[in-house]
């Protein structure tokens, strides 16, 4: 089979079997609608324990936004069922009344009779996205919302003490919402959905987080919102975008990591994939600054945000770097006085220096290290050869 499209953010793909005879005698199945809670479904697949196709029957237990484990940082609509979904079921159809109402995709460790499938709403978005032969993904509005149930807080904003509307707590710089929405705006309506004070909407008889009302939009489209600002109701159109910066916050597949090696120092962009090299211990002092830089600085300190933070991932030992004491995981702040916001800035800073020493400053306190330019330039080829590295960079 040939892979036509892959949507890592929604854990779906389209395959095309290249042998035409494969399709002989096949009857295609239609996709149905989002199934109702407590209705019966049947999962089809080939889980471990046998070689024949397996059928399991169960009920739809609940429908809500679920963390999709494959991307790691996306929550989309997911359907929970007590029909057995085990390794080998993934990718198999979930059938109700002769139509497909979902795609089995994950379970939950430690829980019994709990499996999840991707509903038609997510599948439809994926199929519509690839109609132009390019997969963009599920876009973001770029806002963080919090419940607005405090009567005193609501009263101070000119709202009824009890009623609809959740508050925008933060806006991601350069997102679709940036310049359209503001912090402390109260979101009253998303598309056709009224937003409750606990930041939920009623989506096809299911109470879901309000972001479910954004998931129908494609990259480049807008979503109408009604907000409460300065004690007045305001209608706005919010652009929806798929951000490259969001991709570094997810598990990445089919992509080799970017890096640059100079004088044996290995520099790489900060990403979730890089964080996973730390193991499970992300709470120590060395890790806390890295986690903050990746996940929180862009909303809490957008004035000093770096689109692609760069870390010193490690050192290929050589006499030229023997006295450099900087630890791996250290985040690069400046090189030769130049602020480093992406890997290309770092390379340019090494190339542009006129003196005989490179100065490297690390966050958070600008601890500085120096490396001889002439000795590092002379040692680069030897270091790469010694450690079997074919190139000093992958961009």
């Amino acid at each position: 089979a040939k892979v036509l499209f892959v949507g890592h953010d929604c854990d779906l793909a389209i395959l095309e079997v290249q042998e035409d005879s494969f399709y002989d005698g096949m009857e295609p199945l239609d996709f149905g609608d989002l199934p109702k809670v407590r209705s019966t479904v049947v999962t089809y697949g080939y889980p471990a324990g046998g070689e024949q196709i397996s059928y399991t029957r169960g009920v739809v237990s609940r429908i809500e936004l679920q963390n999709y484990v494959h991307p790691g940082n996306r929550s989309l609509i997911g359907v929970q069922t007590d029909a057995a979904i085990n390794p080998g079921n993934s990718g198999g159809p979930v059938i109700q009344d002769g139509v497909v109402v979902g795609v089995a995709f994950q379970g939950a460790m430690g829980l019994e009779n709990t499996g999840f499938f991707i509903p038609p709403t997510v599948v439809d978005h994926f199929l519509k996205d690839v109609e132009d032969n390019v997969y963009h993904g599920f876009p973001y509005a770029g806002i963080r919302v919090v419940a607005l149930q405090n009567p005193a807080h609501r009263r101070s904003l000119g709202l009824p003490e009890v009623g609809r509307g959740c508050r925008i707590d933060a806006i991601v710089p350069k997102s679709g919402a940036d310049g359209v929405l503001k912090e402390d705006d109260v979101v009253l309506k998303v598309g056709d959905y009224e937003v409750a004070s606990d930041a939920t909407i009623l989506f096809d008889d299911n109470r879901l987080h309000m972001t479910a009302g954004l998931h129908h939009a494609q990259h480049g489209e807008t979503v109408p919102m009604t907000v409460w600002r300065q004690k007045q109701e305001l209608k706005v159109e919010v652009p929806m975008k798929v951000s490259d910066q969001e991709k570094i916050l997810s598990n990445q597949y089919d992509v080799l990591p970017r890096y640059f090696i100079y004088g044996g120092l290995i520099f790489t962009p900060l990403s979730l994939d890089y964080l996973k090299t730390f193991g499970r211990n992300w709470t120590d002092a060395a890790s806390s600054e890295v986690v903050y830089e990746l996940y929180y600085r862009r909303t809490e300190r957008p004035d000093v945000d770096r689109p692609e933070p760069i870390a010193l991932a490690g050192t290929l030992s050589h006499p030229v770097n023997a006295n450099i004491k900087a630890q791996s995981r250290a985040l690069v702040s400046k090189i030769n006085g130049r602020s480093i916001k992406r890997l290309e800035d770092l390379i340019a800073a090494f190339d542009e220096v006129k003196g005989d020493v490179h100065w490297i400053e690390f966050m958070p306190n600008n601890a500085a290290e120096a490396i001889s330019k002439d000795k590092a330039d002379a040692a680069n080829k030897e270091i790469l050869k010694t450690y079997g590295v074919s190139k000093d960079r992958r961009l």
Side-chain angles (χ1 to χ4, degrees):
K2 178 182 178 182
V3 178
L4 298 181
F5 301 100
V6 177
H8 289 299
D9 57 348
C10 61
D11 204 358
L12 292 171
I14 296 178
L15 307 181
E16 180 182 69
V17 178
Q18 294 177 292
E19 179 57 54
D20 290 341
S21 63
F22 174 82
Y23 298 99
D24 291 346
M26 270 196 189
E27 296 182 13
L29 294 172
D30 292 325
F31 278 95
D33 299 322
L34 184 68
K36 301 295 183 182
V37 174
R38 297 190 299 276
S39 65
T40 302
V41 294
V42 179
T43 63
Y44 291 63
Y46 291 87
E51 296 183 357
Q52 299 300 314
I53 190 170
S54 169
Y55 312 89
T56 57
R57 184 181 299 274
V59 300
V60 174
S61 306
R62 58 183 163 191
I63 299 172
E64 59 187 1
L65 262 63
Q66 295 284 350
N67 176 50
Y68 278 38
V69 174
H70 182 73
N73 74 324
R74 291 308 305 259
S75 291
L76 301 173
I77 300 175
V79 182
Q80 181 181 326
T81 178
D82 64 353
I85 293 179
N86 295 302
N89 276 113
S90 296
V94 181
I95 305 293
Q96 183 179 80
D97 298 329
V99 296
V100 179
V101 294
V103 179
F105 80 124
Q106 64 186 38
M109 292 182 63
L111 298 180
E112 295 182 0
N113 302 322
T114 302
F116 299 91
F117 61 87
I118 301 168
T121 48
V122 175
V123 177
D124 288 344
H125 186 286
F126 174 70
L127 295 177
K128 184 179 179 181
D129 192 324
V130 301
E131 287 178 355
D132 61 355
N133 292 318
V134 178
Y135 182 69
H136 297 95
F138 281 75
Y140 293 80
I143 58 175
R144 186 176 67 197
V145 297
V146 293
L148 187 58
Q149 296 171 310
N150 184 328
H153 196 167
R154 295 182 63 87
R155 190 168 59 247
S156 71
L157 295 173
L159 290 165
E161 292 188 1
V162 177
R164 61 193 176 111
C166 63
R167 185 175 66 87
I168 295 178
D169 182 54
I171 294 176
V172 177
K174 300 179 181 179
S175 66
D178 193 8
V180 178
L181 297 173
K182 297 182 178 181
E183 290 185 10
D184 289 328
D185 279 353
V186 178
V187 182
L188 302 176
K189 199 171 183 180
V190 174
D192 296 328
Y193 303 101
E194 290 195 352
V195 180
S197 60
D198 63 350
T200 64
I201 62 174
L202 192 61
F203 186 96
D204 198 10
D205 297 328
N206 302 284
R207 183 59 64 176
L208 306 180
H209 191 272
M210 63 153 279
T211 52
L214 305 173
H215 290 164
H216 69 281
Q218 298 287 342
H219 174 66
E221 295 182 349
T222 61
V223 173
M225 288 191 187
T226 302
V227 300
W228 184 260
R229 181 186 299 169
Q230 297 179 350
K231 300 184 178 180
Q232 290 185 334
E233 196 169 293
L234 179 68
K235 296 182 184 299
V236 297
E237 294 283 337
V238 181
M240 300 293 290
K241 298 180 180 179
V242 176
S243 167
D244 288 337
Q245 189 172 18
E246 294 294 340
K247 294 178 181 178
I248 69 175
L249 305 180
S250 67
N251 299 318
Q252 298 183 68
Y253 303 91
D254 312 325
V255 178
L256 293 172
R258 284 155 52 83
Y259 72 85
F260 177 68
I261 300 174
Y262 182 78
L265 305 178
I266 307 170
F267 301 98
T268 191
L270 193 56
S271 66
L272 176 59
D273 281 348
Y274 177 65
L275 275 186
K276 287 188 293 186
T277 67
F278 298 3
R280 294 187 176 273
N281 184 17
W282 293 6
T283 58
D284 59 17
S287 301
S288 60
E289 181 68 23
V290 175
V291 173
Y292 177 81
E293 184 69 28
L294 183 61
Y295 286 100
Y296 302 108
R297 188 182 299 277
R298 60 184 182 147
T299 53
E300 295 185 5
R301 293 289 310 280
D303 55 316
V304 292
D305 179 49
R306 290 170 164 81
E308 186 183 61
I310 303 300
L312 175 63
T315 302
L316 304 177
S317 297
H318 185 273
V320 73
N321 57 49
N323 293 314
I324 292 180
K325 304 302 181 184
Q327 300 294 314
S328 61
R329 307 184 191 180
L331 296 173
V332 180
S333 174
K334 296 179 181 179
I335 292 181
N336 300 322
R338 177 171 178 160
S339 181
I340 304 303
K341 296 185 176 181
R342 49 177 46 89
L343 192 60
E344 286 76 8
D345 294 337
L346 181 140
I347 296 171
F350 279 124
D351 289 343
E352 292 170 355
V353 70
K354 303 300 182 183
D356 59 356
V357 172
H358 290 296
W359 286 98
I360 307 171
E361 297 177 56
F362 296 95
M363 293 189 283
N365 300 316
N366 291 331
E369 294 281 2
I371 188 170
S372 168
K373 178 183 183 301
D374 292 340
K375 292 182 179 179
D377 288 345
N380 281 331
K381 284 186 177 182
E382 178 187 347
I383 293 172
L384 296 178
K385 183 178 179 181
T386 298
Y387 289 90
V389 181
S390 60
K391 296 181 179 180
D392 69 344
R393 68 195 71 187
R394 183 193 293 124
L395 304 178

